[in-house]
Amino acid sequence: QVQLVESGGGLVQPGGSLRLSCATSGFTLDYYTIGWVRQAPGKEREVVSCISGNNSNTYYADSVKGRFTISRDNAQNTVYLQMNSLKSEDTAVYYCATTPSVWLLRVSDPGQYDYWGQGTQVTVSS
């Protein structure tokens, strides 16, 4: 059974940093694309970043490029999202999501993910 559990969210001031973690179980990470998808109140879901199963491809939304870094530790079955220089517009619930494909054709489409975690709240505010 595929399970994804996010952690690391919280309240941070603008310009601060957070690292989100996604602990995975029930599947072999090497063959799955893992993404971080966020949803702010009243807005559509947005894929902020994803990483391929073989760790050779990554994607970042323009809104986070240069500030966020995705990484994965297949031995620990965990995926991370390091978020630096946070802005108020980064405030959202962040979900870890996955699908049984090494990579995706439409990397920015949240509809391509089959499994989702419960989400972790990130609030950027002074």
Side-chain angles (χ1 to χ4, degrees):
Q1 181 179 357
V2 173
Q3 288 191 326
L4 307 168
V5 180
E6 303 95 335
S7 61
L11 173 64
V12 64
Q13 292 186 343
S17 298
L18 282 175
R19 188 176 82 156
L20 304 183
S21 299
C22 175
T24 73
S25 61
F27 63 101
T28 303
L29 208 58
D30 307 56
Y31 305 113
Y32 283 63
T33 294
I34 301 282
W36 286 96
V37 182
R38 69 185 180 187
Q39 187 163 28
K43 294 189 176 181
E44 294 186 352
R45 294 179 300 176
E46 176 189 22
V47 178
V48 296
S49 183
C50 63
I51 188 167
S52 62
N54 57 11
N55 213 23
S56 64
N57 295 302
T58 57
Y59 162 81
Y60 296 95
D62 288 342
S63 56
V64 306
K65 204 169 291 183
R67 300 188 296 120
F68 290 11
T69 303
I70 192 169
S71 61
R72 60 195 295 163
D73 183 339
N74 285 9
Q76 297 295 323
N77 296 319
T78 302
V79 178
Y80 304 97
L81 185 69
Q82 178 67 44
M83 306 187 296
N84 298 328
S85 303
L86 283 162
K87 305 175 182 180
S88 58
E89 50 263 45
D90 295 318
T91 295
V93 178
Y94 284 71
Y95 299 91
C96 178
T98 191
T99 190
S101 178
V102 173
W103 192 229
L104 300 174
L105 292 178
R106 302 186 307 278
V107 291
S108 63
D109 179 6
Q112 293 199 95
Y113 293 95
D114 297 309
Y115 304 97
W116 295 75
Q118 83 288 352
T120 185
Q121 176 71 45
V122 171
T123 302
V124 184
S125 175
S126 55

